[in-house]
């Protein structure tokens, strides 16, 4: 089986996805959402789904296989407020109601973390 990196433009796609998924306020979205964020074209959702599926070294799909996230970012706890752009304590998070918890994500990666992923 040949490497998915040998597909035309694939390395650029992987780097673009890493950069976007590492820094966007929400760590996980559906393929159409990532397609819009990465390439400003929601109609390319199937393309991005294929990129995510072909590169499990960087990306993971949720249990229903409807959303994707960056593996490294999934390792952080969900305690990043997308509204205040700041981390909260575990106690602060636990006091939130269900609708407020929907506005909590995982902390974005640092520039150094992103560089490490791209260098890989």
């Amino acid at each position: 089986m040949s490497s998915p990196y040998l597909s035309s433009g694939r390395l650029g796609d992987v780097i673009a996805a890493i950069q976007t998924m590492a820094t966007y306020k929400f760590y996980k979205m559906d393929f159409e959402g990532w397609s819009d964020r990465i390439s400003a074209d929601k109609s390319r959702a199937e393309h991005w789904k294929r990129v995510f599926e072909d590169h499990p070294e960087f990306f993971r799909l949720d249990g229903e296989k409807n959303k994707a996230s960056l593996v490294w970012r999934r390792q952080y706890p969900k305690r990043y407020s997308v509204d205040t752009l700041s981390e909260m304590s575990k106690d602060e998070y636990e006091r939130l109601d269900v609708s407020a918890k929907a506005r909590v994500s995982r902390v974005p990666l640092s520039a150094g973390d992103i560089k490490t992923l791209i260098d890989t």
Side-chain angles (χ1 to χ4, degrees):
M1 181 171 192
S2 66
S3 170
Y5 287 102
L6 298 177
S7 299
S8 179
R10 181 54 64 92
L11 181 58
D13 285 345
V14 169
I15 290 171
I18 287 170
Q19 291 173 321
T20 303
M21 296 170 87
T23 59
Y24 188 60
K25 61 186 174 181
F26 290 104
Y27 82 100
K28 178 171 63 174
M29 279 197 300
D30 62 25
F31 307 117
E32 190 174 274
W34 284 127
S35 181
D36 186 42
R37 298 299 316 167
I38 297 166
S39 59
D41 184 352
K42 289 182 179 184
S43 71
R44 296 191 68 214
E46 283 301 314
H47 167 79
W48 290 106
K49 178 181 180 184
R50 197 167 39 260
V51 170
F52 302 145
E53 290 173 333
D54 287 350
H55 296 280
E57 68 274 25
F58 295 115
F59 312 108
R60 287 290 186 275
L61 304 185
D62 68 344
E64 291 80 37
K65 309 256 187 264
N66 295 322
K67 295 180 180 182
S69 60
L70 194 59
V71 173
W72 191 332
R73 200 160 167 200
R74 285 171 43 122
Q75 305 317 304
Y76 292 109
K78 285 185 184 178
R79 293 202 309 250
Y80 179 76
S81 169
V82 299
D83 298 320
T84 64
L85 304 180
S86 63
E87 289 185 71
M88 61 182 67
S89 71
K90 184 176 181 180
D91 289 338
E92 289 172 316
Y93 176 77
E94 289 175 355
R95 286 194 299 265
L96 296 175
D97 63 32
V98 173
S99 64
K101 284 182 178 177
R103 303 290 300 161
V104 176
S105 186
R106 299 176 195 269
V107 67
L109 299 184
S110 71
D113 296 339
I114 296 166
K115 180 183 181 337
T116 298
L117 288 172
I118 292 171
D119 287 349
T120 299

